[in-house]
Amino acid sequence: MVSATRADALPTPAAPAREQTRARYPDRVGFTERAGGRIFWEAYGAGDPAIVFVPPWQIVHSRVWKAQIPDFARRHRVIAWDNRGNGRSDRPRDPMVHVTRERAANLLAVMDDAGVDAAVLVGVSSSSGPMVVVAAEHPERTLGLVFICPSSPFGSPGPKGSAPFEAPLTDDAGWNKENIHFWRRDMAAYLEHFFGEAFPERHSTKQIDDGIEWAMSTDMETLAATVRTPRTLDEATFAALCSAIRAPALVIQGTDERISDVTQGIGLAAAIPGAVTTLVEGGGHLVHVREPVRVNLLIRSFLEALP
Amino acid sequence: MSRAPTETPSAPRRTHDAGRARLPDATGVARSTDGVGIAWESFGSGDPTLVLLPSTPIIHSRQWKAQVPYLSRSWRVITYDGRGNGLSDRPTDPEAFRSERIVDDLVAVLDATDTEAAVLVGLCGDGVWHSILFAGEHPDRALGIVAFSVGVPLLSPPHPWRVQYSTTDELPTDEGWAKLNEHYWRRDYPGFVSFFFDQLLPEPHSTKQLEDTVAWALDGSVDSMLGDMHAPSELSLERVTEACQAVRCPMLLVHGTDDRCQPPSRAQRLADMTGAPLVILEGAGHLIPAREPVKANLLIAEFVRGLAGRSR
């Protein structure tokens, strides 16, 4: 059912496709202005603790939490926001705006503007970076951490990102598609590959379609800037930040992880004092999208056990 | 999709029966008038009883898997495998697939489960037409009919593709609806059911429903399907009209605009003829209860609750 247009995918950010209907609409939305950027956020519901859904890579935007927001907003104040580079946030082309500490500062600024003093932070994939920074350096604002299939420097690198992004390649197989020359030739084929790997579970056609739609609401050059962002926190620094965390932490890791690697999630849990890992058998990278009932119940149990 | 061998099982079989959301409270085998054993299951206990009719012999009672757990919270729900599939017997004689025999099976299940009267829920000809025949013959036992993908024969011309090819002649092609053909069925029955259910599930993101329906069809017997194809029938438009007008219980009709099996005009004709309300679902295909279970379940529940105020 994949129906992305071919080479001209990600044409311009000017005309976003009409959004699908939602199960629940936000009670309040806002834009946070910070460091010359503009960050869109949404607030839903009421109730403590507040939950902030932290955005991952800009290949998706805040609709990646569509199966969580209506559930948790019944009992909690919920914030979802778009990283700079997708959704209703701006489209910077400078890779340095996306370094981990900038993303952490954006997270704190959104919490400030939304009036959230402290929250449970829930993220997926590369959300782990800013979550770890905020939890380590602002413990008073971090009530708990849920990492879904997190990236971390502690495990195997995983297949994605193994090929060079800038150099022309002779072969387009597999993750060699994550290459700017291939993107310019056939971005739609890259997106089909990415979301096919992100959703290895059978009967995922709807989730794959949604993922491609979210990716197509940004543009290729903006997304390329996020790939060019250097890693600024080395393994030792990241490990020190993890060991400073005092908030309760849960890692939810799909065993059929094909974007990151299972060992990155397990390694992150090992680096954070007291963190617990729950494996979801057969789950892929975006397991909260594909298995929302299972994942939401795991998060709910985690919330109920908070001090 | 992996192809099963064309040889279909001769023994009772229902795949994926163990991991159900709701297991039956009681099961049994009813004996129909011609001796054919009909396997039934009963769930829950509320009044009235709902009987979900099988689309026999092509698939079996698991076609209602998205209805049983929900409806049985409020009402007693009975399902059964039609003759020729699931855990029921597998006759192959065309005489065994006359409409009268299919209605006998429903009567046998009602008797075996001590069900005086029930709300009937059916899909397509197998479920809807036989509910109508039953309601006309046993007005005291039919409390209401929910008719999905209204399969009342002859009420309007069939879809042109359904009659494009002979079902009994050897054809020069196996393409498309040419697969609805007894010679092709003998050669490649899995090929037919894969094509057929793909047509019945035109909605995007139906891969799970397609996999389920194909598996249920391959639980059945191609010889029973051939018996059903050759079942004697003395239908005329007059006889069909008479049967529809004989229904005294309330009816609800539900039809999808993209139903490639039964034309929506049949639902419209039946609505015009009986005054029954008709719900048209935009973009829906033939298998509404499987593909749109929330809508289907809410429609059934609303209909059943609406019956409560009526005197019997």
Side-chain angles (χ1 to χ4, degrees):
Chain A
M1 306 302 160
V2 168
S3 57
T5 50
R6 305 300 300 188
D8 58 348
L10 308 200
T12 61
R18 198 161 60 90
E19 190 190 272
Q20 298 173 28
T21 55
R22 299 188 185 195
R24 164 99 196 218
Y25 286 86
D27 301 323
R28 199 156 70 91
V29 302
F31 287 93
T32 290
E33 309 276 346
R34 193 199 147 262
R38 193 170 152 80
I39 302 156
F40 175 74
W41 53 266
E42 300 172 334
Y44 301 81
D48 287 329
I51 299 170
V52 176
F53 288 104
V54 183
W57 187 27
Q58 291 84 338
I59 199 164
V60 297
H61 55 63
S62 50
R63 295 309 291 149
V64 78
W65 305 108
K66 67 186 236 183
Q68 281 67 50
I69 289 167
D71 184 9
F72 290 101
R74 290 186 200 159
R75 295 179 191 80
H76 299 271
R77 178 140 194 251
V78 167
I79 309 292
W81 54 286
D82 295 325
N83 261 330
R84 298 185 65 187
N86 203 341
R88 292 174 64 187
S89 294
D90 63 352
R91 299 287 186 271
R93 298 285 173 87
D94 173 6
M96 295 311 289
V97 309
H98 302 303
V99 297
T100 302
R101 285 195 176 280
E102 284 298 306
R103 285 171 66 179
N106 292 343
L107 167 56
L108 290 167
V110 165
M111 289 173 70
D112 289 345
D113 280 5
V116 177
D117 294 335
V120 173
L121 308 180
V122 180
V124 60
S125 191
S126 75
S127 318
S128 54
M131 285 166 66
V132 163
V133 170
V134 168
E137 298 180 352
H138 301 272
E140 76 289 355
R141 308 201 69 170
T142 311
L143 302 175
L145 298 162
V146 178
F147 299 96
I148 299 161
C149 297
S151 1
S152 86
F154 307 127
S156 306
K160 182 186 173 301
S162 53
F165 185 64
E166 309 287 352
L169 300 174
T170 50
D171 174 8
D172 293 338
W175 285 105
N176 279 9
K177 293 182 179 63
E178 191 163 289
N179 176 280
I180 188 63
H181 306 283
F182 184 82
W183 281 17
R184 288 181 180 139
R185 274 202 309 285
D186 196 353
M187 189 65 186
Y190 171 75
L191 296 179
E192 287 173 25
H193 172 74
F194 178 90
F195 287 105
E197 293 296 296
F199 295 112
E201 300 94 338
R202 308 175 66 212
H203 310 305
S204 296
T205 56
K206 173 58 172 156
Q207 288 78 9
I208 292 170
D209 268 15
D210 278 355
I212 290 172
E213 188 177 307
W214 300 330
M216 289 177 69
S217 55
T218 187
D219 64 283
M220 192 193 304
E221 291 305 327
T222 298
L223 201 58
T226 68
V227 179
R228 292 169 175 141
T229 302
R231 179 195 278 191
T232 44
L233 299 178
D234 61 28
E235 186 176 338
T237 309
F238 201 75
L241 289 167
C242 286
S243 65
I245 292 174
R246 294 294 171 266
L250 169 67
V251 171
I252 299 171
Q253 178 64 57
T255 61
D256 199 6
E257 171 69 77
R258 298 185 190 185
I259 300 287
S260 171
D261 190 271
V262 174
T263 56
Q264 294 188 29
I266 292 169
L268 180 66
I272 297 174
V276 171
T277 306
T278 300
L279 296 178
V280 177
E281 194 58 44
H285 187 61
L286 298 178
V287 65
H288 67 297
V289 180
R290 185 61 184 77
E291 293 279 9
V293 175
R294 272 210 268 184
V295 171
N296 291 4
L297 292 177
L298 288 172
I299 298 173
R300 190 183 293 181
S301 301
F302 174 79
L303 294 170
E304 284 165 359
L306 286 176
Chain B
M1 190 168 311
S2 65
R3 284 283 173 90
T6 292
E7 194 71 25
T8 50
S10 52
R13 188 174 86 178
R14 223 164 44 191
T15 53
H16 306 308
D17 237 15
R20 299 198 244 174
R22 174 73 156 89
L23 292 170
D25 300 321
T27 66
V29 177
R31 204 52 67 182
S32 197
T33 43
D34 61 355
V36 169
I38 302 296
W40 58 265
E41 297 182 330
S42 156
F43 309 81
S45 60
D47 190 52
T49 295
L50 278 53
V51 178
L52 316 182
L53 279 76
S55 294
T56 189
I58 192 162
I59 51 178
H60 53 64
S61 57
R62 293 290 285 140
Q63 76 182 92
W64 301 107
K65 68 184 241 185
Q67 280 66 54
V68 167
Y70 172 76
L71 296 174
S72 64
R73 286 186 210 159
S74 307
W75 300 290
R76 181 173 177 241
V77 172
I78 292 170
T79 62
Y80 60 101
D81 295 333
R83 46 180 65 206
N85 206 327
L87 304 184
S88 294
D89 288 346
R90 296 163 180 242
T92 56
D93 178 1
E95 283 292 332
F97 289 94
R98 281 181 171 277
S99 283
E100 294 87 335
R101 298 293 79 75
I102 308 296
V103 174
D104 287 347
D105 295 347
L106 171 56
V107 174
V109 167
L110 290 175
D111 291 345
T113 56
D114 295 319
T115 310
E116 202 180 308
V119 178
L120 309 177
V121 182
L123 173 92
C124 192
D126 303 305
V128 173
W129 174 232
H130 296 113
S131 291
I132 287 173
L133 289 174
F134 172 86
E137 291 161 21
H138 306 273
D140 296 342
R141 305 190 78 175
L143 303 175
I145 296 174
V146 182
F148 289 101
S149 307
V150 178
V152 179
L154 305 180
L155 279 190
S156 72
H159 282 309
W161 50 83
R162 290 294 309 260
V163 289
Q164 186 181 354
Y165 297 103
S166 165
T167 56
T168 52
D169 295 346
E170 285 274 14
L171 298 173
T173 175
D174 288 340
E175 284 308 301
W177 286 92
K179 291 181 168 64
L180 184 60
N181 175 280
E182 65 169 284
H183 305 284
Y184 181 73
W185 287 8
R186 288 186 218 274
R187 276 200 307 282
D188 186 7
Y189 186 61
F192 164 70
V193 298
S194 300
F195 165 78
F196 183 68
F197 285 107
D198 187 54
Q199 291 292 308
L200 300 196
L201 291 160
E203 299 95 337
H205 316 304
S206 297
T207 57
K208 176 59 173 152
Q209 289 79 3
L210 181 60
E211 189 176 284
D212 280 353
T213 46
V214 168
W216 300 331
L218 296 180
D219 282 343
S221 156
V222 68
D223 294 316
S224 293
M225 284 289 286
L226 291 164
D228 181 62
M229 176 187 271
H230 294 291
S233 163
E234 296 85 30
L235 279 184
S236 66
L237 183 56
E238 291 70 27
R239 166 84 185 96
V240 170
T241 305
E242 229 171 77
C244 292
Q245 288 171 340
V247 174
R248 290 287 166 266
C249 64
M251 277 199 288
L252 171 67
L253 315 181
V254 186
H255 212 104
T257 57
D258 201 7
D259 186 333
R260 298 182 191 175
C261 182
Q262 295 290 342
S265 53
R266 292 190 174 175
Q268 192 59 60
R269 277 293 292 130
L270 185 61
D272 294 344
M273 194 183 284
T274 61
L278 167 61
V279 176
I280 296 279
L281 298 181
E282 195 60 44
H286 186 65
L287 300 178
I288 292 166
R291 187 60 186 80
E292 293 282 5
V294 175
K295 275 186 206 168
N297 292 354
L298 293 176
L299 285 168
I300 296 168
E302 187 187 18
F303 176 80
V304 175
R305 293 204 174 94
L307 295 175
R310 293 171 50 94
S311 56
R312 292 223 190 123

